[in-house]
Amino acid sequence: MPEFTGYRRDDGRIGVRNRVAVLPTSVTASPIAEAIAAEADASVRATPHQMGTSQPERAREQTERTLAGTGRNPNVGAALVVELGTETIDADDVADRIARSGKPVETLSIRAAGGTRAAVDRGAEVAGDLVDEVEAARRETADASELVFAVECGGSDATSGIAANPAVGEACDRLVEDGGTACFSETPEFIGAEHILAERCADDEVRERLLERVDAREDMAALMGVDMRGAQPSPGNQEGGLTTIEEKSLGAISKGGTTPVRGIVDYADDLPVGGGLVLMDTPGYDVESVTGKVAGGAQVVAFTTGRGSTTGNPIAPVIKVTGNPATWDEMASNMDVNAGTVIEGDSLSTVGDRIYDTLLSVADGKRTAAERRRLEEFAINEIQPNELAELRGEAA
Amino acid sequence: MKGAVIDDVALVMTDDDTVATALADLEAGRDLSVDGVDGCERDSVTLREDVPFGHKVALTAMAPGDPVYKYGEVIGEAAAAIDPGEWVHTHNCESRRGRGDVQEGEA
């Protein structure tokens, strides 16, 4: 059984990084969180985001769930939640939800601390103390079955569906066979391929939920009276040879491999450990989608790209895989795995092995290109007014 | 790679496919040998225009409204008559899905 080493947390989960997360509850607290992370130790990471101080209830719940889930991610050893102090999201609530995983959590109110300068100073001090606490953690051996592996695609072109995605899919199949969890998302990119996923659902309940989510995402186009063709495939996808959303979807779903779909969870909801292939209902926006899966507990992400991408994440290492030999050459400093060799004759299984090995070595501590360059984006999906109306049953 | 590579420069994912994906920048006038592809009626297809890397070329004739197959699945429909050897892309192939504009027109 493949193994790696990681940091065992009190809730039993295993982290592949030992971060202290600084989580702002709003856009207002975000620059303070960033300043705290900049002043503190290198293992401290902020998750600045764009959400406001008062959101509609469903949107607020999603923001809170994402922040709490990010703090609970096993790559996080301790967390500091920062608020201005006037938000509808209460830092103590987020902290309580994180504390249930047994890790140290502190809160900081910018108002109570006496303004921004004082808050940054106080925050850096608290973060420093948390670093001291998490540094006691030592890597120990863990089983591949304890990995939750999120897969994402962005900047797709025709090589994504031919090379990078099916090769990452092979790695997902190997992980699932070894007892782990693989997760892909981006529901708009199931459109036109949902019949294939539906056939693979483990039971009728999962199948119905999956088809409902796909309908809801497709209905959004109708609800807004828009033609998805302008955005899906994107202009970049189109330059890369992708003509329709169906074509993009058929290529996109291959990154999850071929095993049964065991379940589908909400955006940023907890992903099971040892759960097989589980889908998450996320939008097609790459960074928001990655954030959702990391909040769900994914420790490592694979990101396939044909046209190129620089994306990373503050909490989980992101392995960049390209199936386009030109992109491998042109963006070598941002890529980790060359799946373009498939086009030159390598079998998908050979490249799949290489990706699985990379997953295990990255879990074991090897830094990804995005980590080496400190490319770390974080964005929370905002539920849009039309979606809120739909959720309330008030669709036009 | 899954599927069949033809002449080292194009990929047909399944025998049901009506398009092949260019694995290199292909120039107009070039012949592609397709006699190994079951779903293809002819032995070779002559490219009627340049087809860039990653883009698709028609292997069969399609009438407007005909389904276009890649991965053995429908990826859209022909929006115009397409001759074998033509570049297939957004100018002559349309999505059937996520068409809020069409649905609004029907409402």
Side-chain angles (χ1 to χ4, degrees):
Chain A
M1 183 63 73
E3 291 178 335
F4 66 100
T5 63
Y7 304 93
R8 182 72 60 192
R9 306 301 181 195
D10 285 351
D11 61 0
R13 292 203 174 189
I14 194 102
V16 304
R17 297 293 182 269
N18 199 28
R19 309 259 198 249
V20 169
V22 184
L23 307 160
T25 62
S26 68
V27 64
T28 319
S30 288
I32 307 300
E34 283 186 288
I36 291 168
E39 292 210 3
D41 182 270
S43 64
V44 180
R45 293 290 191 283
T47 62
H49 60 86
Q50 78 286 22
M51 293 305 161
T53 52
S54 73
Q55 292 182 268
E57 193 186 346
R58 292 295 288 261
R60 180 187 56 75
E61 282 170 5
Q62 181 156 296
T63 300
E64 200 169 337
R65 186 168 72 244
T66 307
L67 292 170
T70 303
R72 274 201 313 274
N73 185 294
N75 293 350
V76 173
L80 168 63
V81 186
V82 181
E83 64 177 13
L84 173 62
T86 62
E87 296 95 336
T88 48
I89 295 181
D90 184 37
D92 286 330
D93 286 347
V94 176
D96 285 348
R97 290 170 68 165
I98 297 169
R100 274 180 234 146
S101 61
K103 64 186 71 167
V105 189
E106 298 290 339
T107 59
L108 175 71
S109 160
I110 297 165
R111 288 173 77 226
T116 57
R117 186 65 251 168
V120 172
D121 290 346
R122 176 79 194 122
E125 204 177 301
V126 173
D129 291 344
L130 291 172
V131 169
D132 287 344
E133 282 196 57
V134 303
E135 275 188 345
R138 289 287 169 266
R139 281 190 178 265
E140 60 181 77
T141 304
D143 192 283
S145 64
E146 298 185 76
L147 283 173
V148 178
F149 181 37
V151 297
E152 179 75 26
C153 61
S156 297
D157 68 7
T159 67
S160 301
I162 291 168
N165 288 343
V168 166
E170 293 266 347
C172 287
D173 284 351
R174 279 163 182 63
L175 179 64
V176 168
E177 193 181 319
D178 287 338
T181 300
C183 173
F184 74 103
S185 61
E186 300 183 281
T187 316
E189 292 168 28
F190 302 166
I191 295 173
E194 73 271 41
H195 56 292
I196 297 170
L197 291 174
E199 271 177 29
R200 280 168 45 199
C201 284
D203 58 47
D204 288 342
E205 194 192 331
V206 175
R207 185 176 303 116
E208 277 164 30
R209 291 186 61 212
L210 167 72
L211 294 174
E212 266 170 31
R213 297 306 175 98
V214 175
D215 278 350
R217 295 280 176 182
E218 196 171 3
D219 284 349
M220 287 306 298
L223 207 58
M224 293 187 267
V226 297
D227 174 2
M228 277 182 76
R229 285 175 302 173
Q232 288 288 9
S234 70
N237 295 153
Q238 291 182 18
E239 269 180 61
L242 296 176
T243 303
T244 63
I245 180 67
E246 296 94 314
E247 182 183 16
K248 184 175 173 181
S249 296
L250 289 161
I253 65 162
S254 65
K255 68 183 176 289
T258 58
T259 61
V261 177
R262 297 285 174 199
I264 177 161
V265 302
D266 280 338
Y267 182 85
D269 229 348
D270 286 342
L271 290 161
V273 175
L277 179 64
V278 178
L279 309 185
M280 182 179 280
D281 182 19
T282 75
Y285 311 120
D286 305 336
V287 176
E288 294 177 20
S289 182
V290 169
T291 295
K293 284 174 287 195
V294 172
Q299 303 114 312
V300 185
V301 181
F303 191 112
T304 64
T305 181
R307 297 182 55 78
S309 161
T310 58
T311 286
N313 179 274
I315 304 301
V318 177
I319 300 165
K320 218 65 63 55
V321 181
T322 185
N324 187 326
T327 299
W328 174 255
D329 289 339
E330 287 159 12
M331 290 192 66
S333 65
N334 293 105
M335 296 296 140
D336 297 289
V337 180
N338 181 9
T341 58
V342 167
I343 289 165
E344 288 142 14
D346 263 3
S347 72
L348 284 169
S349 150
T350 302
V351 182
D353 281 343
R354 216 187 312 140
I355 294 166
Y356 193 40
D357 289 345
T358 305
L359 162 64
L360 290 164
S361 62
V362 166
D364 211 39
K366 187 185 176 201
R367 288 187 306 162
T368 64
E371 282 183 298
R372 283 200 299 274
R373 288 164 186 80
R374 287 296 300 259
L375 298 165
E376 303 168 346
E377 298 94 73
F378 185 90
I380 299 172
N381 171 240
E382 181 167 19
I383 302 179
Q384 300 298 319
N386 281 324
E387 292 175 82
L388 287 166
E390 177 99 336
L391 287 166
R392 286 195 300 261
E394 295 168 10
Chain B
M1 192 149 42
K2 280 182 185 155
V5 176
I6 47 179
D7 293 354
D8 288 334
V9 293
L11 175 68
V12 187
M13 300 295 288
T14 77
D15 282 341
D16 294 330
D17 289 2
T18 55
V19 293
T21 302
L23 297 177
D25 289 328
L26 304 181
E27 284 184 14
R30 155 175 205 143
D31 285 332
L32 285 180
S33 159
V34 290
D35 59 355
V37 183
D38 282 355
C40 239
E41 299 134 8
R42 62 202 76 230
D43 290 343
S44 78
V45 166
T46 305
L47 294 194
R48 301 173 72 93
E49 54 205 316
D50 292 350
V51 178
F53 175 85
H55 287 242
K56 293 174 290 298
V57 53
L59 298 176
T60 62
M62 287 171 260
D66 278 356
V68 178
Y69 287 92
K70 178 182 172 184
Y71 299 106
E73 300 285 340
V74 177
I75 61 160
E77 64 185 35
I82 302 176
D83 286 329
E86 260 188 65
W87 175 43
V88 176
H89 200 33
T90 48
H91 60 289
N92 59 9
C93 175
E94 278 196 334
S95 177
R96 289 175 162 181
R97 303 290 304 275
R99 293 295 302 275
D101 56 336
V102 173
Q103 286 160 40
E104 190 173 54
E106 286 167 355

